[in-house]
């Protein structure tokens, strides 16, 4: 997470903060197939990782629309924990 997701997210957030496009809102496509144990994804993110990403995005203090898509670990409530974590 720290070596893959955080640098990529911080790069995007920095671009949004300093953008000449004057970003007024954010749309997040929240695919939680990146959660640990997802049968489709190949990442191992935990609920606290999603929470951290949400906090970083919220730091921009811009209106944000979250569209939940993806996430297929249905055997337990882990998928829900990741969504709630975000």
């Amino acid at each position: 997470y720290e070596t893959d997701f955080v640098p990529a997210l911080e790069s995007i957030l920095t671009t949004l903060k300093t953008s000449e496009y004057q970003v007024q809102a954010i749309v997040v496509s929240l695919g939680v197939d990146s959660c640990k144990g997802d049968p489709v994804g190949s990442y191992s993110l935990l609920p606290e990782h999603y929470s951290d990403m949400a906090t970083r995005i919220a730091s921009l203090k811009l209106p944000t629309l979250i569209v939940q898509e993806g996430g297929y670990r249905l055997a337990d409530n882990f998928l829900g924990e990741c969504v709630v974590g975000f």
Side-chain angles (χ1 to χ4, degrees):
Y1 174 75
E2 294 294 330
T3 59
D4 296 335
F5 281 84
V6 172
L9 180 58
E10 284 301 321
S11 175
I12 292 166
L13 296 178
T14 298
T15 299
L16 293 177
K17 286 182 215 175
T18 60
S19 174
E20 70 223 40
Y21 302 110
Q22 300 175 346
V23 176
Q24 296 178 10
I26 300 170
V27 177
V28 176
S29 175
L30 178 61
V32 289
D33 46 353
S34 53
C35 78
K36 183 175 184 174
D38 190 275
V40 175
S42 59
Y43 296 100
S44 294
L45 297 186
L46 302 171
E48 55 265 26
H49 296 141
Y50 291 98
S51 180
D52 178 63
M53 287 188 280
T55 299
R56 291 171 190 267
I57 293 167
S59 73
L60 294 178
K61 297 183 178 3
L62 290 170
T64 305
L65 171 69
I66 298 143
V67 179
Q68 200 277 312
E69 55 88 15
Y72 308 95
R73 181 177 169 178
L74 304 175
D76 53 22
N77 192 38
F78 195 74
L79 175 70
E81 290 176 35
C82 290
V83 172
V84 170
F86 192 85

